[in-house]
Amino acid sequence: RRSAQTALYVIVHSLARMLAPILVFTADEIWENLPRDDGERTPLSVHLAELPSPSANQNAEILAAYAHLFRYRDAVLARLEEARTSKLIGGSLEARVEISAGEYAYKWLDHYRDDLRYVFIVSQVDLRLNRELGEEAIEIRIGVAEGVKCERCWNYSTRVGESSRYPNVCERCFEALEEIERDTP
């Protein structure tokens, strides 16, 4: 019980300081209701407290993974901009990205395969291993996304219209709408 209370205190203490510039009065009310420890010399107002500093226990593996992922993302975004300039696509959600990757690059990208379309902000991503490329090399081709535009999320999908209940939404939005209906009293 005590460790749960301590964890909640640390979370609320940090969250109140982070929200202070955005939710001025709410953060101050939270701060007023936090238990005070005079040994800490806690300021009377959250606006006099310093913002929390990042934890020293950062996970190096996660940082390295995201560095790789964002390096590939930058390359994809550059190609998307070229496609936009040449009028192949209007916006990034109209795009289908085809990536041919060397073994090392493929390993990193394959780990995030299901989320690549969200990372690149496109409708579709096709990832293929190409052993003829260098280990970290990738080749990117941009094409027009297949399917129809979902009216809810604006992503293009070949599965728009599968639901008779929601004929203008994709499979992902259909599941979300069903969940909302289930949870609404």
Side-chain angles (χ1 to χ4, degrees), residues 35-127:
R36 299 186 59 77
D37 181 9
D38 292 335
E40 284 184 35
R41 295 185 180 170
T42 306
L44 293 175
S45 171
V46 69
H47 304 292
L48 298 174
E50 291 184 17
L51 288 172
S53 57
S55 172
N57 302 328
Q58 294 182 358
N59 190 333
E61 290 178 24
I62 291 174
L63 292 174
Y66 277 97
H68 284 291
L69 189 59
F70 282 107
R71 189 176 76 225
Y72 299 131
R73 180 179 184 264
D74 290 342
V76 169
L77 292 179
R79 294 300 307 265
L80 284 169
E81 189 58 36
E82 291 171 11
R84 223 180 271 118
T85 303
S86 68
K87 306 287 187 211
L88 176 66
I89 58 171
S92 64
L93 289 177
E94 295 177 17
R96 172 184 176 84
V97 177
E98 296 174 7
I99 301 174
S100 183
E103 288 189 45
Y104 185 76
Y106 181 83
K107 179 188 94 172
W108 281 104
L109 291 169
D110 188 49
H111 184 71
Y112 299 99
R113 179 182 291 269
D114 296 336
D115 298 318
L116 288 178
R117 69 185 193 130
Y118 307 116
V119 172
F120 302 148
I121 313 171
V122 296
S123 290
Q124 298 156 356
V125 175
D126 183 29
L127 177 63

Side-chain angles (χ1 to χ4, degrees), residues 12-31 45-52:
V12 171
H13 197 267
S14 296
L15 193 58
R17 291 181 286 160
M18 287 187 282
L19 290 174
I22 303 164
L23 299 171
V24 179
F25 296 110
T26 305
D28 218 21
E29 287 177 11
I30 292 169
W31 194 261
S45 171
V46 69
H47 304 292
L48 298 174
E50 291 184 17
L51 288 172

